[in-house]
Amino acid sequence: MGRLAGGVAHDFNNLLTGVLLYCDLLVTGLEPGHRARKYAEEIRSAGLQATGLVRQLLAVSRPSSCEARLLSLNEIAEGMRGLLVRLIGENIELKFRLDSNLRLIRMDHTQAQQILLNLALNARDVLPAGGQTCL
């Protein structure tokens, strides 16, 4: 199973490399204030997060690829704000209540992102009619 996951992750990573390359070309071809540039930058950000998920999949196939280090969950949440807001949809208001005194944790960056992503998606699933959720 690990071998299959590793093979799929490798192929997917190759596809992501092409997507990110074309996205970089698009971003450099657009003026800084151009409306489409913001969208291209968001696509690039999502692509980079997808490469993190690929690393996580590779971690399943090869446990030594996880890289635990000191992280700020506040910084990770802020970095994912745009993606999370778009993923949960327009009918749900996502509020960030970050604690300025929150201590650093030792964890793999990709796994921390995956946890926050899962929390946001779970909130979306339990609020099909809309509402408000906090992170």
Side-chain angles (χ1 to χ4, degrees):
M1 191 61 149
R3 196 181 229 157
L4 175 63
V8 170
H10 177 73
D11 291 345
F12 188 67
N13 196 50
N14 288 341
L15 293 170
L16 280 173
T17 300
V19 169
L20 289 171
L21 173 68
Y22 283 110
C23 194
D24 286 343
L25 291 171
L26 181 60
V27 168
T28 58
L30 295 170
E31 296 294 323
H34 196 283
R35 182 176 160 197
R37 184 180 176 122
K38 181 180 184 252
Y39 298 135
E41 289 169 347
E42 287 294 329
I43 292 168
R44 186 174 195 292
S45 176
L48 289 173
Q49 290 182 13
T51 61
L53 294 177
V54 168
R55 280 195 307 273
Q56 187 176 8
L57 187 56
L58 287 171
V60 171
S61 64
R62 288 178 270 148
S64 63
S65 66
C66 275
E67 187 180 316
R69 60 181 192 259
L70 288 177
L71 301 172
S72 164
L73 286 177
N74 286 342
E75 288 178 14
I76 293 171
E78 280 296 339
M80 296 179 69
R81 181 185 291 263
L83 175 67
L84 295 175
V85 167
R86 281 177 188 71
L87 282 175
I88 63 169
E90 295 176 2
N91 63 337
I92 299 174
E93 180 184 1
L94 178 61
K95 290 188 172 188
F96 281 69
R97 293 185 182 160
L98 305 178
D99 184 350
S100 60
N101 295 318
L102 188 64
R103 299 178 122 191
L104 298 178
I105 61 166
R106 182 172 300 278
M107 184 176 199
D108 180 73
H109 186 270
T110 303
Q111 289 177 340
Q113 286 180 318
Q114 185 65 41
I115 289 168
L116 293 176
L117 181 64
N118 286 340
L119 288 171
L121 293 176
N122 288 343
R124 179 195 66 190
D125 292 344
V126 298
L127 296 169
Q132 186 180 88
T133 189
C134 297
L135 180 66

